[in-house]
Amino acid sequence: MAEFVEKKSVTARPAGILPDRAQPHNLKVEQAVLAAMLREPESCVDTVIMFLHGVDVFYSHVHREIYLTIRALHEDNSKAVDLVSVSHELQARGKLDAVGGNAYLAELFNSISTTVNIEAWCNILKKYADTVYRIAFVRAKNKDDAEDITQEV
């Protein structure tokens, strides 16, 4: 008889985040931002870099890895940023399977029909990131206040 073993989900959290609750996030918005970067890299990659200032705004470790790969390709002016290049770079880094493979990249690419709202999506991610850091800061000072902020979110 086969024995059932429960797998636990592991999600990276910045220090100070309440361990028993997910931090505020929106995976659909993260996907939209990454999809925009893949669909229209000439206009969207610089916009995202300017608005987000780093990888910490992404809750999903998969999205963080994809963002870092797109950014690295963008910063290397000799390499194009497109679906094939991102897939190739992830494969070269040994990370393609970890991010869901080509199937997830294609799903990501097809998750939006336009990039017109890229700035709004970036602002949403910044809002979530600011809330996460506010919770961590308050929690470091006083655990009860962090619980109050978490309830507000």
Side-chain angles (χ1 to χ4, degrees), residues 72-118:
L73 288 170
H74 178 70
E75 289 172 352
D76 183 351
N77 293 328
S78 67
K79 295 182 179 177
V81 175
D82 58 33
L83 197 55
V84 173
S85 298
V86 171
S87 173
H88 176 76
E89 186 66 22
L90 285 165
Q91 181 69 41
R93 294 177 177 195
K95 304 279 185 167
L96 184 60
D97 289 337
V99 302
N102 287 322
Y104 184 69
L105 291 176
E107 178 184 326
L108 193 63
F109 185 83
N110 292 317
S111 67
I112 62 168
S113 59
T114 181
T115 63
V116 72
N117 294 319
I118 186 67

mmCIF file of all heavy atoms in Angstrom, residues 72-118:
data_model
loop_
_atom_site.group_PDB
_atom_site.id
_atom_site.type_symbol
_atom_site.label_atom_id
_atom_site.label_comp_id
_atom_site.label_asym_id
_atom_site.label_seq_id
_atom_site.Cartn_x
_atom_site.Cartn_y
_atom_site.Cartn_z
ATOM 1 N N ALA A 72 19.300 40.527 -16.761
ATOM 2 C CA ALA A 72 20.678 40.217 -17.167
ATOM 3 C C ALA A 72 20.825 40.277 -18.685
ATOM 4 O O ALA A 72 21.816 40.823 -19.194
ATOM 5 C CB ALA A 72 21.081 38.841 -16.641
ATOM 6 N N LEU A 73 19.861 39.729 -19.397
ATOM 7 C CA LEU A 73 19.912 39.797 -20.860
ATOM 8 C C LEU A 73 19.832 41.239 -21.344
ATOM 9 O O LEU A 73 20.533 41.635 -22.280
ATOM 10 C CB LEU A 73 18.765 38.983 -21.473
ATOM 11 C CG LEU A 73 18.878 37.470 -21.380
ATOM 12 C CD1 LEU A 73 17.572 36.806 -21.791
ATOM 13 C CD2 LEU A 73 20.037 36.956 -22.222
ATOM 14 N N HIS A 74 19.006 42.021 -20.713
ATOM 15 C CA HIS A 74 18.845 43.426 -21.087
ATOM 16 C C HIS A 74 20.131 44.220 -20.846
ATOM 17 O O HIS A 74 20.509 45.065 -21.658
ATOM 18 C CB HIS A 74 17.689 44.044 -20.293
ATOM 19 C CG HIS A 74 17.467 45.483 -20.552
ATOM 20 N ND1 HIS A 74 16.962 45.953 -21.747
ATOM 21 C CD2 HIS A 74 17.689 46.578 -19.783
ATOM 22 C CE1 HIS A 74 16.874 47.277 -21.694
ATOM 23 N NE2 HIS A 74 17.316 47.669 -20.521
ATOM 24 N N GLU A 75 20.786 43.934 -19.734
ATOM 25 C CA GLU A 75 22.012 44.664 -19.399
ATOM 26 C C GLU A 75 23.183 44.262 -20.276
ATOM 27 O O GLU A 75 24.137 45.016 -20.426
ATOM 28 C CB GLU A 75 22.326 44.477 -17.915
ATOM 29 C CG GLU A 75 21.341 45.216 -17.034
ATOM 30 C CD GLU A 75 21.481 44.904 -15.562
ATOM 31 O OE1 GLU A 75 22.252 43.987 -15.186
ATOM 32 O OE2 GLU A 75 20.788 45.571 -14.766
ATOM 33 N N ASP A 76 23.123 43.063 -20.859
ATOM 34 C CA ASP A 76 24.126 42.618 -21.818
ATOM 35 C C ASP A 76 23.631 43.019 -23.206
ATOM 36 O O ASP A 76 22.864 42.296 -23.835
ATOM 37 C CB ASP A 76 24.314 41.102 -21.723
ATOM 38 C CG ASP A 76 25.404 40.591 -22.652
ATOM 39 O OD1 ASP A 76 25.900 41.367 -23.494
ATOM 40 O OD2 ASP A 76 25.752 39.407 -22.532
ATOM 41 N N ASN A 77 24.053 44.163 -23.659
ATOM 42 C CA ASN A 77 23.519 44.745 -24.900
ATOM 43 C C ASN A 77 23.683 43.849 -26.122
ATOM 44 O O ASN A 77 23.047 44.076 -27.141
ATOM 45 C CB ASN A 77 24.171 46.096 -25.165
ATOM 46 C CG ASN A 77 23.765 47.124 -24.138
ATOM 47 O OD1 ASN A 77 22.655 47.088 -23.622
ATOM 48 N ND2 ASN A 77 24.666 48.044 -23.830
ATOM 49 N N SER A 78 24.515 42.828 -26.040
ATOM 50 C CA SER A 78 24.711 41.948 -27.193
ATOM 51 C C SER A 78 23.647 40.847 -27.275
ATOM 52 O O SER A 78 23.608 40.104 -28.245
ATOM 53 C CB SER A 78 26.096 41.313 -27.139
ATOM 54 O OG SER A 78 26.195 40.422 -26.044
ATOM 55 N N LYS A 79 22.783 40.758 -26.240
ATOM 56 C CA LYS A 79 21.774 39.700 -26.214
ATOM 57 C C LYS A 79 20.371 40.297 -26.272
ATOM 58 O O LYS A 79 20.075 41.300 -25.640
ATOM 59 C CB LYS A 79 21.918 38.855 -24.948
ATOM 60 C CG LYS A 79 23.226 38.096 -24.896
ATOM 61 C CD LYS A 79 23.316 37.234 -23.667
ATOM 62 C CE LYS A 79 24.628 36.467 -23.648
ATOM 63 N NZ LYS A 79 24.766 35.679 -22.423
ATOM 64 N N ALA A 80 19.512 39.636 -27.035
ATOM 65 C CA ALA A 80 18.123 40.075 -27.160
ATOM 66 C C ALA A 80 17.300 39.575 -25.974
ATOM 67 O O ALA A 80 17.623 38.560 -25.366
ATOM 68 C CB ALA A 80 17.525 39.536 -28.457
ATOM 69 N N VAL A 81 16.244 40.319 -25.663
ATOM 70 C CA VAL A 81 15.284 39.869 -24.664
ATOM 71 C C VAL A 81 14.035 39.434 -25.415
ATOM 72 O O VAL A 81 13.319 40.245 -25.983
ATOM 73 C CB VAL A 81 14.933 40.988 -23.662
ATOM 74 C CG1 VAL A 81 13.841 40.520 -22.715
ATOM 75 C CG2 VAL A 81 16.163 41.432 -22.892
ATOM 76 N N ASP A 82 13.828 38.136 -25.471
ATOM 77 C CA ASP A 82 12.624 37.565 -26.061
ATOM 78 C C ASP A 82 12.407 36.194 -25.434
ATOM 79 O O ASP A 82 13.214 35.732 -24.628
ATOM 80 C CB ASP A 82 12.712 37.492 -27.595
ATOM 81 C CG ASP A 82 13.898 36.681 -28.088
ATOM 82 O OD1 ASP A 82 14.301 35.702 -27.417
ATOM 83 O OD2 ASP A 82 14.433 37.007 -29.161
ATOM 84 N N LEU A 83 11.323 35.577 -25.793
ATOM 85 C CA LEU A 83 10.958 34.296 -25.189
ATOM 86 C C LEU A 83 12.042 33.233 -25.386
ATOM 87 O O LEU A 83 12.407 32.517 -24.449
ATOM 88 C CB LEU A 83 9.626 33.823 -25.777
ATOM 89 C CG LEU A 83 8.869 32.745 -25.041
ATOM 90 C CD1 LEU A 83 8.609 33.134 -23.597
ATOM 91 C CD2 LEU A 83 7.557 32.463 -25.745
ATOM 92 N N VAL A 84 12.598 33.163 -26.581
ATOM 93 C CA VAL A 84 13.616 32.154 -26.890
ATOM 94 C C VAL A 84 14.902 32.437 -26.114
ATOM 95 O O VAL A 84 15.507 31.526 -25.526
ATOM 96 C CB VAL A 84 13.887 32.106 -28.409
ATOM 97 C CG1 VAL A 84 15.060 31.192 -28.726
ATOM 98 C CG2 VAL A 84 12.643 31.668 -29.162
ATOM 99 N N SER A 85 15.319 33.700 -26.072
ATOM 100 C CA SER A 85 16.550 34.064 -25.357
ATOM 101 C C SER A 85 16.434 33.832 -23.860
ATOM 102 O O SER A 85 17.377 33.357 -23.220
ATOM 103 C CB SER A 85 16.902 35.528 -25.616
ATOM 104 O OG SER A 85 17.135 35.740 -26.970
ATOM 105 N N VAL A 86 15.278 34.179 -23.297
ATOM 106 C CA VAL A 86 15.073 33.963 -21.864
ATOM 107 C C VAL A 86 15.088 32.468 -21.555
ATOM 108 O O VAL A 86 15.729 32.033 -20.597
ATOM 109 C CB VAL A 86 13.767 34.638 -21.388
ATOM 110 C CG1 VAL A 86 13.426 34.232 -19.961
ATOM 111 C CG2 VAL A 86 13.890 36.154 -21.495
ATOM 112 N N SER A 87 14.424 31.681 -22.371
ATOM 113 C CA SER A 87 14.430 30.228 -22.198
ATOM 114 C C SER A 87 15.850 29.676 -22.279
ATOM 115 O O SER A 87 16.267 28.870 -21.437
ATOM 116 C CB SER A 87 13.544 29.575 -23.257
ATOM 117 O OG SER A 87 13.665 28.173 -23.200
ATOM 118 N N HIS A 88 16.595 30.112 -23.280
ATOM 119 C CA HIS A 88 17.977 29.644 -23.460
ATOM 120 C C HIS A 88 18.836 30.023 -22.255
ATOM 121 O O HIS A 88 19.622 29.186 -21.756
ATOM 122 C CB HIS A 88 18.563 30.234 -24.743
ATOM 123 C CG HIS A 88 19.992 29.881 -24.956
ATOM 124 N ND1 HIS A 88 20.399 28.638 -25.383
ATOM 125 C CD2 HIS A 88 21.117 30.611 -24.766
ATOM 126 C CE1 HIS A 88 21.721 28.614 -25.453
ATOM 127 N NE2 HIS A 88 22.181 29.800 -25.080
ATOM 128 N N GLU A 89 18.713 31.246 -21.785
ATOM 129 C CA GLU A 89 19.518 31.700 -20.646
ATOM 130 C C GLU A 89 19.158 30.932 -19.375
ATOM 131 O O GLU A 89 20.045 30.550 -18.604
ATOM 132 C CB GLU A 89 19.345 33.205 -20.433
ATOM 133 C CG GLU A 89 20.235 33.793 -19.375
ATOM 134 C CD GLU A 89 21.716 33.758 -19.722
ATOM 135 O OE1 GLU A 89 22.074 33.662 -20.914
ATOM 136 O OE2 GLU A 89 22.539 33.823 -18.773
ATOM 137 N N LEU A 90 17.875 30.715 -19.152
ATOM 138 C CA LEU A 90 17.466 29.930 -17.988
ATOM 139 C C LEU A 90 18.009 28.507 -18.080
ATOM 140 O O LEU A 90 18.450 27.938 -17.076
ATOM 141 C CB LEU A 90 15.942 29.910 -17.863
ATOM 142 C CG LEU A 90 15.305 31.201 -17.346
ATOM 143 C CD1 LEU A 90 13.805 31.205 -17.612
ATOM 144 C CD2 LEU A 90 15.594 31.388 -15.862
ATOM 145 N N GLN A 91 17.988 27.927 -19.267
ATOM 146 C CA GLN A 91 18.534 26.589 -19.474
ATOM 147 C C GLN A 91 20.036 26.579 -19.176
ATOM 148 O O GLN A 91 20.539 25.677 -18.501
ATOM 149 C CB GLN A 91 18.274 26.123 -20.908
ATOM 150 C CG GLN A 91 18.785 24.729 -21.222
ATOM 151 C CD GLN A 91 18.013 23.648 -20.496
ATOM 152 O OE1 GLN A 91 16.798 23.713 -20.393
ATOM 153 N NE2 GLN A 91 18.714 22.655 -19.981
ATOM 154 N N ALA A 92 20.744 27.594 -19.669
ATOM 155 C CA ALA A 92 22.186 27.684 -19.443
ATOM 156 C C ALA A 92 22.510 27.820 -17.950
ATOM 157 O O ALA A 92 23.535 27.323 -17.494
ATOM 158 C CB ALA A 92 22.764 28.875 -20.213
ATOM 159 N N ARG A 93 21.644 28.460 -17.206
ATOM 160 C CA ARG A 93 21.836 28.636 -15.767
ATOM 161 C C ARG A 93 21.341 27.427 -14.968
ATOM 162 O O ARG A 93 21.451 27.409 -13.748
ATOM 163 C CB ARG A 93 21.086 29.875 -15.275
ATOM 164 C CG ARG A 93 21.597 31.174 -15.794
ATOM 165 C CD ARG A 93 20.730 32.306 -15.307
ATOM 166 N NE ARG A 93 21.240 33.596 -15.736
ATOM 167 C CZ ARG A 93 20.854 34.739 -15.223
ATOM 168 N NH1 ARG A 93 19.949 34.767 -14.258
ATOM 169 N NH2 ARG A 93 21.365 35.878 -15.662
ATOM 170 N N GLY A 94 20.736 26.472 -15.665
ATOM 171 C CA GLY A 94 20.191 25.309 -14.985
ATOM 172 C C GLY A 94 18.917 25.608 -14.210
ATOM 173 O O GLY A 94 18.579 24.897 -13.261
ATOM 174 N N LYS A 95 18.188 26.634 -14.623
ATOM 175 C CA LYS A 95 17.002 27.067 -13.893
ATOM 176 C C LYS A 95 15.698 26.896 -14.668
ATOM 177 O O LYS A 95 14.629 27.182 -14.147
ATOM 178 C CB LYS A 95 17.135 28.557 -13.525
ATOM 179 C CG LYS A 95 18.354 28.915 -12.737
ATOM 180 C CD LYS A 95 18.161 28.617 -11.290
ATOM 181 C CE LYS A 95 19.374 29.104 -10.498
ATOM 182 N NZ LYS A 95 19.128 29.119 -9.093
ATOM 183 N N LEU A 96 15.761 26.451 -15.910
ATOM 184 C CA LEU A 96 14.559 26.383 -16.736
ATOM 185 C C LEU A 96 13.491 25.481 -16.129
ATOM 186 O O LEU A 96 12.323 25.875 -16.020
ATOM 187 C CB LEU A 96 14.897 25.937 -18.161
ATOM 188 C CG LEU A 96 13.733 25.923 -19.141
ATOM 189 C CD1 LEU A 96 13.113 27.309 -19.299
ATOM 190 C CD2 LEU A 96 14.185 25.403 -20.501
ATOM 191 N N ASP A 97 13.859 24.297 -15.708
ATOM 192 C CA ASP A 97 12.878 23.388 -15.109
ATOM 193 C C ASP A 97 12.327 23.955 -13.804
ATOM 194 O O ASP A 97 11.142 23.793 -13.504
ATOM 195 C CB ASP A 97 13.484 22.011 -14.867
ATOM 196 C CG ASP A 97 13.731 21.249 -16.161
ATOM 197 O OD1 ASP A 97 13.068 21.555 -17.168
ATOM 198 O OD2 ASP A 97 14.598 20.356 -16.160
ATOM 199 N N ALA A 98 13.162 24.627 -13.037
ATOM 200 C CA ALA A 98 12.737 25.174 -11.748
ATOM 201 C C ALA A 98 11.680 26.270 -11.899
ATOM 202 O O ALA A 98 10.887 26.486 -10.985
ATOM 203 C CB ALA A 98 13.945 25.719 -10.982
ATOM 204 N N VAL A 99 11.666 26.952 -13.038
ATOM 205 C CA VAL A 99 10.672 28.008 -13.248
ATOM 206 C C VAL A 99 9.438 27.507 -13.994
ATOM 207 O O VAL A 99 8.548 28.289 -14.313
ATOM 208 C CB VAL A 99 11.262 29.247 -13.964
ATOM 209 C CG1 VAL A 99 12.424 29.835 -13.186
ATOM 210 C CG2 VAL A 99 11.648 28.947 -15.395
ATOM 211 N N GLY A 100 9.376 26.239 -14.272
ATOM 212 C CA GLY A 100 8.211 25.687 -14.945
ATOM 213 C C GLY A 100 8.428 25.360 -16.400
ATOM 214 O O GLY A 100 7.496 24.969 -17.110
ATOM 215 N N GLY A 101 9.651 25.530 -16.875
ATOM 216 C CA GLY A 101 9.994 25.161 -18.240
ATOM 217 C C GLY A 101 9.417 26.101 -19.288
ATOM 218 O O GLY A 101 8.860 27.150 -18.993
ATOM 219 N N ASN A 102 9.565 25.680 -20.533
ATOM 220 C CA ASN A 102 9.068 26.477 -21.651
ATOM 221 C C ASN A 102 7.553 26.636 -21.612
ATOM 222 O O ASN A 102 7.020 27.642 -22.069
ATOM 223 C CB ASN A 102 9.502 25.853 -22.979
ATOM 224 C CG ASN A 102 10.979 26.057 -23.229
ATOM 225 O OD1 ASN A 102 11.533 27.099 -22.924
ATOM 226 N ND2 ASN A 102 11.621 25.033 -23.773
ATOM 227 N N ALA A 103 6.871 25.657 -21.051
ATOM 228 C CA ALA A 103 5.406 25.737 -20.959
ATOM 229 C C ALA A 103 4.982 26.925 -20.111
ATOM 230 O O ALA A 103 4.072 27.677 -20.488
ATOM 231 C CB ALA A 103 4.836 24.445 -20.388
ATOM 232 N N TYR A 104 5.654 27.123 -18.963
ATOM 233 C CA TYR A 104 5.286 28.262 -18.117
ATOM 234 C C TYR A 104 5.680 29.578 -18.771
ATOM 235 O O TYR A 104 4.937 30.560 -18.695
ATOM 236 C CB TYR A 104 5.887 28.166 -16.720
ATOM 237 C CG TYR A 104 5.401 29.302 -15.848
ATOM 238 C CD1 TYR A 104 4.069 29.347 -15.436
ATOM 239 C CD2 TYR A 104 6.233 30.355 -15.482
ATOM 240 C CE1 TYR A 104 3.590 30.394 -14.675
ATOM 241 C CE2 TYR A 104 5.763 31.407 -14.719
ATOM 242 C CZ TYR A 104 4.434 31.422 -14.319
ATOM 243 O OH TYR A 104 3.959 32.475 -13.572
ATOM 244 N N LEU A 105 6.826 29.627 -19.422
ATOM 245 C CA LEU A 105 7.223 30.853 -20.113
ATOM 246 C C LEU A 105 6.211 31.216 -21.193
ATOM 247 O O LEU A 105 5.847 32.393 -21.347
ATOM 248 C CB LEU A 105 8.625 30.707 -20.719
ATOM 249 C CG LEU A 105 9.783 30.629 -19.734
ATOM 250 C CD1 LEU A 105 11.095 30.395 -20.482
ATOM 251 C CD2 LEU A 105 9.867 31.880 -18.877
ATOM 252 N N ALA A 106 5.724 30.222 -21.934
ATOM 253 C CA ALA A 106 4.713 30.482 -22.966
ATOM 254 C C ALA A 106 3.404 30.949 -22.334
ATOM 255 O O ALA A 106 2.755 31.877 -22.833
ATOM 256 C CB ALA A 106 4.485 29.229 -23.805
ATOM 257 N N GLU A 107 3.027 30.321 -21.238
ATOM 258 C CA GLU A 107 1.818 30.738 -20.516
ATOM 259 C C GLU A 107 1.954 32.183 -20.044
ATOM 260 O O GLU A 107 1.023 32.983 -20.162
ATOM 261 C CB GLU A 107 1.585 29.814 -19.322
ATOM 262 C CG GLU A 107 0.388 30.166 -18.476
ATOM 263 C CD GLU A 107 0.273 29.268 -17.250
ATOM 264 O OE1 GLU A 107 0.623 28.081 -17.333
ATOM 265 O OE2 GLU A 107 -0.171 29.767 -16.208
ATOM 266 N N LEU A 108 3.114 32.492 -19.529
ATOM 267 C CA LEU A 108 3.400 33.851 -19.068
ATOM 268 C C LEU A 108 3.293 34.841 -20.218
ATOM 269 O O LEU A 108 2.615 35.872 -20.112
ATOM 270 C CB LEU A 108 4.813 33.869 -18.473
ATOM 271 C CG LEU A 108 5.258 35.050 -17.661
ATOM 272 C CD1 LEU A 108 4.404 35.194 -16.408
ATOM 273 C CD2 LEU A 108 6.716 34.864 -17.260
ATOM 274 N N PHE A 109 3.923 34.528 -21.321
ATOM 275 C CA PHE A 109 3.922 35.387 -22.501
ATOM 276 C C PHE A 109 2.496 35.659 -22.983
ATOM 277 O O PHE A 109 2.163 36.776 -23.377
ATOM 278 C CB PHE A 109 4.733 34.730 -23.622
ATOM 279 C CG PHE A 109 4.905 35.572 -24.841
ATOM 280 C CD1 PHE A 109 5.902 36.535 -24.897
ATOM 281 C CD2 PHE A 109 4.069 35.406 -25.934
ATOM 282 C CE1 PHE A 109 6.068 37.318 -26.033
ATOM 283 C CE2 PHE A 109 4.227 36.186 -27.071
ATOM 284 C CZ PHE A 109 5.229 37.149 -27.131
ATOM 285 N N ASN A 110 1.651 34.651 -22.926
ATOM 286 C CA ASN A 110 0.279 34.771 -23.414
ATOM 287 C C ASN A 110 -0.711 35.277 -22.370
ATOM 288 O O ASN A 110 -1.905 35.359 -22.646
ATOM 289 C CB ASN A 110 -0.197 33.425 -23.969
ATOM 290 C CG ASN A 110 0.541 33.060 -25.234
ATOM 291 O OD1 ASN A 110 0.753 33.887 -26.106
ATOM 292 N ND2 ASN A 110 0.954 31.805 -25.324
ATOM 293 N N SER A 111 -0.231 35.643 -21.192
ATOM 294 C CA SER A 111 -1.137 36.032 -20.108
ATOM 295 C C SER A 111 -1.695 37.444 -20.247
ATOM 296 O O SER A 111 -2.631 37.804 -19.532
ATOM 297 C CB SER A 111 -0.445 35.866 -18.751
ATOM 298 O OG SER A 111 0.615 36.792 -18.620
ATOM 299 N N ILE A 112 -1.144 38.238 -21.142
ATOM 300 C CA ILE A 112 -1.660 39.595 -21.376
ATOM 301 C C ILE A 112 -1.826 39.818 -22.874
ATOM 302 O O ILE A 112 -1.194 39.158 -23.682
ATOM 303 C CB ILE A 112 -0.745 40.693 -20.797
ATOM 304 C CG1 ILE A 112 0.641 40.663 -21.450
ATOM 305 C CG2 ILE A 112 -0.644 40.575 -19.280
ATOM 306 C CD1 ILE A 112 1.502 41.866 -21.142
ATOM 307 N N SER A 113 -2.678 40.775 -23.207
ATOM 308 C CA SER A 113 -2.866 41.106 -24.621
ATOM 309 C C SER A 113 -2.267 42.460 -24.968
ATOM 310 O O SER A 113 -2.083 42.778 -26.133
ATOM 311 C CB SER A 113 -4.350 41.079 -24.985
ATOM 312 O OG SER A 113 -5.044 42.005 -24.185
ATOM 313 N N THR A 114 -1.969 43.265 -23.959
ATOM 314 C CA THR A 114 -1.386 44.581 -24.187
ATOM 315 C C THR A 114 -0.480 44.947 -23.022
ATOM 316 O O THR A 114 -0.650 44.436 -21.914
ATOM 317 C CB THR A 114 -2.487 45.654 -24.350
ATOM 318 O OG1 THR A 114 -1.873 46.930 -24.600
ATOM 319 C CG2 THR A 114 -3.362 45.752 -23.114
ATOM 320 N N THR A 115 0.448 45.843 -23.280
ATOM 321 C CA THR A 115 1.369 46.297 -22.233
ATOM 322 C C THR A 115 1.054 47.716 -21.779
ATOM 323 O O THR A 115 1.815 48.305 -21.032
ATOM 324 C CB THR A 115 2.827 46.241 -22.734
ATOM 325 O OG1 THR A 115 2.967 47.148 -23.832
ATOM 326 C CG2 THR A 115 3.215 44.838 -23.146
ATOM 327 N N VAL A 116 -0.062 48.241 -22.210
ATOM 328 C CA VAL A 116 -0.387 49.640 -21.961
ATOM 329 C C VAL A 116 -0.442 49.987 -20.467
ATOM 330 O O VAL A 116 -0.181 51.115 -20.078
ATOM 331 C CB VAL A 116 -1.701 50.042 -22.682
ATOM 332 C CG1 VAL A 116 -2.910 49.413 -22.017
ATOM 333 C CG2 VAL A 116 -1.839 51.544 -22.755
ATOM 334 N N ASN A 117 -0.722 49.007 -19.614
ATOM 335 C CA ASN A 117 -0.849 49.270 -18.174
ATOM 336 C C ASN A 117 0.395 48.935 -17.372
ATOM 337 O O ASN A 117 0.316 48.779 -16.152
ATOM 338 C CB ASN A 117 -2.046 48.485 -17.620
ATOM 339 C CG ASN A 117 -3.343 48.988 -18.190
ATOM 340 O OD1 ASN A 117 -3.548 50.187 -18.326
ATOM 341 N ND2 ASN A 117 -4.218 48.066 -18.550
ATOM 342 N N ILE A 118 1.532 48.847 -18.012
ATOM 343 C CA ILE A 118 2.750 48.418 -17.329
ATOM 344 C C ILE A 118 3.077 49.284 -16.106
ATOM 345 O O ILE A 118 3.441 48.763 -15.057
ATOM 346 C CB ILE A 118 3.965 48.328 -18.299
ATOM 347 C CG1 ILE A 118 5.188 47.723 -17.591
ATOM 348 C CG2 ILE A 118 4.298 49.667 -18.903
ATOM 349 C CD1 ILE A 118 5.043 46.293 -17.197
#
